[in-house]
Amino acid sequence: MLDKAAVILDCYRPDGGSYRLTELAELTGFSKTTTHRLAADLVRLGFLERAGAVYRLGGKLFELGTLVPRRHGLRETALPFVQDLYEATHETVHLGVRDDRDVVYLERVHGHDPLPLPSRVGGRLPLTCTGVGKALLAFSGPELTERILAEPLPRLTPHSVTDPVRLRTAVEQAQVSGLAYEEQEAALGVCCIAAPVFDGGGTAVAALSVAVPRARFSPAQLAPAVRTAALGLSRALRQAR
């Protein structure tokens, strides 16, 4: 709930402007039903106020900010690097963070070609089926890897890795190279390359990725741009600490 709630609160202007439910749904990409449920929860908790048909910031925004502080700051710090990565590739760029066994998307910039991607801002997908997720998994500690490998692996497409041995190999390769790959494992016809983002420790706090149509997936060409953006964002996060 906190991840999606943070996305809704990100929509609000600093001057305290108000939004109708339909406007919030359009801005967040959530369905009207989901937006209505989240907004109602935020009103109940005091983070939003409702006046007729519109919602505005309530008096407890700071409290919610203390619950998800790094994600708000991370997104703001990451935006220039997300934009740079898009300009370097003109492909779809993702910024994601880990929430238990899922990746939660904080930002997505569409490429020139529409891709049949299941990702959306505020949405989540299994770590094991995405490039961003594999990059996060590779740098989130061996305990998480072992826990995930011990249970049935999710399948989003026929290409999703459901063999624990194959997944372990992919994680180990990502740990060595600093890059994670995904080929049609989240959506048919789409491949992805991702790199972890750090803020000074050995655990990834986020990951950046580029998703492209399978026909023009060229890791050798995309890797330098993805790696450069991730390193730049890591440096900026360390300096901001």
Side-chain angles (χ1 to χ4, degrees):
M1 182 264 194
L2 290 178
D3 297 304
K4 292 185 177 180
V7 173
I8 286 182
L9 293 177
D10 272 343
C11 296
Y12 281 86
R13 298 182 293 269
D15 61 4
S18 301
Y19 289 110
R20 293 179 178 273
L21 186 67
T22 54
E23 293 174 319
L24 283 176
E26 290 175 358
L27 289 168
T28 61
F30 301 151
S31 68
K32 289 184 179 180
T33 300
T34 297
T35 305
H36 181 270
R37 175 174 55 81
L38 289 169
D41 287 340
L42 290 171
V43 169
R44 177 174 55 82
L45 295 171
F47 302 128
L48 290 181
E49 295 176 351
R50 183 174 181 180
V54 300
Y55 295 85
R56 60 173 178 260
L57 291 179
K60 295 178 68 178
L61 175 62
F62 178 77
E63 181 179 334
L64 184 61
T66 65
L67 297 177
V68 285
R70 299 176 69 181
R71 294 190 180 182
H72 285 289
L74 170 62
R75 182 174 177 272
E76 292 300 314
T77 304
L79 281 176
F81 299 94
V82 170
Q83 293 164 354
D84 287 347
L85 184 53
Y86 170 77
E87 290 299 329
T89 63
H90 294 291
E91 305 287 1
T92 299
V93 176
H94 291 107
L95 168 70
V97 296
R98 184 177 71 85
D99 185 12
D100 195 22
R101 304 180 186 204
D102 294 335
V103 53
V104 176
Y105 292 94
L106 299 187
E107 191 59 67
R108 171 180 164 177
V109 178
H110 295 274
H112 285 185
D113 294 335
L115 294 177
L117 292 170
S119 58
R120 59 181 175 81
V121 175
R124 62 178 61 223
L125 291 172
L127 289 173
T128 59
C129 296
T130 67
V132 167
K134 288 180 184 179
L136 290 165
L137 178 60
F139 295 93
S140 291
E143 296 83 4
L144 176 65
T145 299
E146 296 304 323
R147 183 156 54 95
I148 287 178
L149 289 173
E151 298 186 2
L153 298 174
R155 181 192 296 271
L156 297 183
T157 78
H159 299 278
S160 299
V161 177
T162 57
D163 178 3
V165 176
R166 284 186 58 199
L167 181 60
R168 184 185 297 278
T169 299
V171 168
E172 291 174 349
Q173 290 174 341
Q175 290 170 340
V176 172
S177 68
L179 294 167
Y181 301 90
E182 175 256 307
E183 298 189 41
Q184 303 190 89
E185 297 164 47
L188 294 177
V190 180
C191 297
C192 179
I193 181 171
V197 173
F198 305 92
D199 66 355
T203 299
V205 296
L208 287 168
S209 76
V210 172
V212 304
R214 180 172 179 268
R216 63 168 183 264
F217 185 51
S218 176
Q221 293 181 351
L222 295 171
V226 175
R227 194 191 302 274
T228 298
L231 289 173
L233 176 53
S234 297
R235 188 181 307 113
L237 290 174
R238 289 195 300 271
Q239 293 173 346
R241 292 186 69 180

